Amino acid sequence: IQMTQSPSSISASVGDRITITCRASLGIGRWLAWYQQKPGKVPNLLMYAAYTLQSGVPSRFSASGSGTDFTLTISSLQPEDSATYFCQQTNTFPLTFGGGTKVEIK
Amino acid sequence: QVQLHQWGAGLLKPSETLSLTCAVYGGSISGFYWGWIRQSPTLGLEWIGQIDQSGSTNYNPALRSRVTMSVETSKNQFSLTLRSVTAADTGVYYCARLWSAEGRYVATYWGQGTLVTVSS
């Protein structure tokens, strides 16, 4: 299953609301996860099962979607949110990732 | 707090075998699935495969002919072997502890990563 993220990069200001989209080439139900990766760091799980927040993740992060179309939203962008965000379908082996969306702070 | 520490050779020649080991601290290897994921600028993040404490595996079909994963519960470690490497196998390799939601796996704890470069 191919995972396509858009946009590939986004530049926004602190306090902005941003949305990242992930599209699966086949339906995956609600089985999508989101990871955040900061430069030089390992990926960190943000969300699983489409919209379930991983423990410790700030509530400004939310996600939605099912089937083939999913979104990750940051309601009020903070400086520490500067990172690359990846989606991953967890429905079908081999598990596959999107190409990533780089979020930069203006 | 679960921590994963991984090690292995970082520079290989084409046709050689990549071998990485991941040690689990702060928790038991039993009761979980354990995975290997790699990342490169060209291929992005790629799921290599996973193994449980009994040795049951699930490999990425694209790599299945060259991959072997094993687990050593007595040492709380698991390992990855990738044979006949080429330059396309260059990247950062991560070990990870997997968590299952209704049989669907996500990576919740990650090793620090090992940069593997394949070059003649």
Side-chain angles (χ1 to χ4, degrees):
Chain A
I1 296 176
Q2 306 297 321
M3 306 301 294
T4 303
Q5 284 184 241
S6 61
S8 57
S9 66
I10 184 168
S11 182
S13 300
V14 172
D16 282 353
R17 178 186 181 92
I18 67 166
T19 297
I20 298 168
T21 297
C22 181
R23 175 163 290 174
S25 61
L26 294 173
I28 56 172
R30 63 187 177 97
W31 300 111
L32 187 93
W34 290 96
Y35 296 85
Q36 175 194 64
Q37 186 177 30
K38 296 184 178 181
K41 302 293 186 182
V42 305
N44 179 50
L45 179 67
L46 295 177
M47 301 273 187
Y48 61 93
Y51 49 77
T52 304
L53 206 62
Q54 176 70 346
S55 175
V57 174
S59 59
R60 62 180 179 275
F61 290 90
S62 64
S64 64
S66 66
T68 59
D69 294 312
F70 300 84
T71 59
L72 174 70
T73 297
I74 307 176
S75 60
S76 178
L77 192 65
Q78 299 301 303
E80 60 267 31
D81 300 333
S82 178
T84 300
Y85 294 83
F86 296 93
C87 61
Q88 178 205 10
Q89 67 84 14
T90 63
N91 186 62
T92 305
F93 285 105
L95 308 185
T96 47
F97 294 86
T101 296
K102 186 174 184 178
V103 174
E104 295 178 325
I105 309 296
K106 285 181 183 176
Chain B
Q1 175 74 356
V2 174
Q3 293 186 344
L4 280 64
H5 179 71
Q6 59 183 98
W7 65 90
L11 181 60
L12 297 171
K13 291 182 168 55
S15 80
E16 291 185 336
T17 296
L18 179 159
S19 293
L20 298 174
T21 299
C22 185
V24 180
Y25 299 99
S28 173
I29 204 164
S30 298
F32 293 94
Y33 268 87
W34 304 89
W36 291 95
I37 299 160
R38 67 182 183 180
Q39 185 172 29
S40 68
T42 49
L43 292 179
L45 286 163
E46 183 177 27
W47 194 274
I48 300 171
Q50 61 194 65
I51 187 169
D52 72 4
Q53 78 275 11
S54 71
S56 175
T57 57
N58 200 329
Y59 298 145
N60 188 326
L63 300 168
R64 183 177 290 144
S65 64
R66 299 192 289 132
V67 168
T68 301
M69 295 181 186
S70 61
V71 62
E72 195 160 2
T73 53
S74 63
K75 293 185 177 181
N76 236 32
Q77 294 176 357
F78 60 104
S79 298
L80 168 71
T81 298
L82 180 66
R83 296 173 291 280
S84 303
V85 297
T86 69
D89 295 310
T90 293
V92 178
Y93 286 70
Y94 296 101
C95 61
R97 192 179 90 171
L98 308 181
W99 181 79
S100 168
E102 298 184 29
R104 277 76 170 186
Y105 297 94
V106 292
T108 51
Y109 292 96
W110 297 65
Q112 79 276 19
T114 300
L115 175 60
V116 175
T117 302
V118 181
S119 174
S120 55

